[in-house]
Amino acid sequence: LLLLGFVRLATNKGLEYQEHVSEYGVHWNFFFTLCCVEGSMVAWKGSKRRLGRLATKLPLDSVLALSMMVPYQLFLSRGGGQEFVEDGARRCDERHSEFLPAWLVSDRPSLCDALVANREGILGVAGYLSLRLLAEDVARLCLSPAREASTEGDGG
């Protein structure tokens, strides 16, 4: 997915293909988003495996999804995040120190510029990851009764 993201970036820029920066940002595309989501899911599933049976009994995916969704929505609605995402400048300046660490704004301007230029895609990962986590729990709930019924019928 990461390779596809770079291929898409190179072809879009090389062919001067029309793109809307308000969708994912200047350099970001959906393949980068998918790569981040799936990479995070691999790490999360590895963490859950260490919990053993407890992880299969509790809706940990939904708990993590909600613990990401609620603060993110509060940031967008009440913390000025929506204005930052929709109307912010594409280059880093002192106005961004409200949302970004001061060391990033002053000491690492090129990294800050990259984050600000692609903020829609980068911040959107939280939403897509939350949806993916909720889908995991919904699938587990929907498929678990079917699995239990099929194993009961086989046993006896």
Side-chain angles (χ1 to χ4, degrees):
L1 290 172
L2 186 61
L3 179 62
L4 284 173
F6 282 114
V7 168
R8 179 167 170 88
L9 174 64
T11 55
N12 281 357
K13 298 298 181 189
L15 296 173
E16 296 179 11
Y17 187 75
Q18 176 185 353
E19 32 183 5
H20 297 280
V21 295
S22 62
E23 190 173 352
Y24 290 105
V26 177
H27 309 102
W28 200 267
N29 61 60
F30 193 61
F31 291 111
F32 293 140
T33 300
L34 288 176
C35 183
C36 290
V37 168
E38 289 308 311
S40 299
M41 287 302 294
V42 167
W44 172 243
K45 285 181 179 182
S47 301
K48 280 181 23 177
R49 245 183 255 119
R50 289 190 206 113
L51 293 174
R53 292 189 61 83
L54 179 66
T56 60
K57 300 288 183 194
L58 299 173
L60 295 178
D61 294 330
S62 293
V63 169
L64 180 60
L66 290 173
S67 69
M68 290 171 54
M69 283 178 159
V70 171
Y72 182 63
Q73 187 59 47
L74 288 172
F75 164 70
L76 290 174
S77 301
R78 302 216 170 123
Q82 186 169 352
E83 292 80 23
F84 170 67
V85 171
E86 291 178 357
D87 304 324
R90 294 279 164 201
R91 297 204 43 101
C92 204
D93 59 25
E94 61 278 346
R95 290 176 293 166
H96 293 107
S97 60
E98 181 180 346
F99 302 106
L100 299 171
W103 63 266
L104 182 64
V105 175
S106 60
D107 298 341
R108 309 246 188 233
S110 58
L111 178 59
C112 188
D113 284 343
L115 289 173
V116 169
N118 298 293
R119 63 186 172 268
E120 296 89 351
I122 294 169
L123 292 174
V125 169
Y128 284 110
L129 182 56
S130 297
L131 292 174
R132 176 75 162 82
L133 287 163
L134 287 173
E136 285 285 319
D137 262 354
V138 169
R140 186 174 51 87
L141 290 172
C142 291
L143 297 176
S144 290
R147 265 191 265 162
E148 290 172 8
S150 67
T151 57
E152 288 173 6
D154 293 342

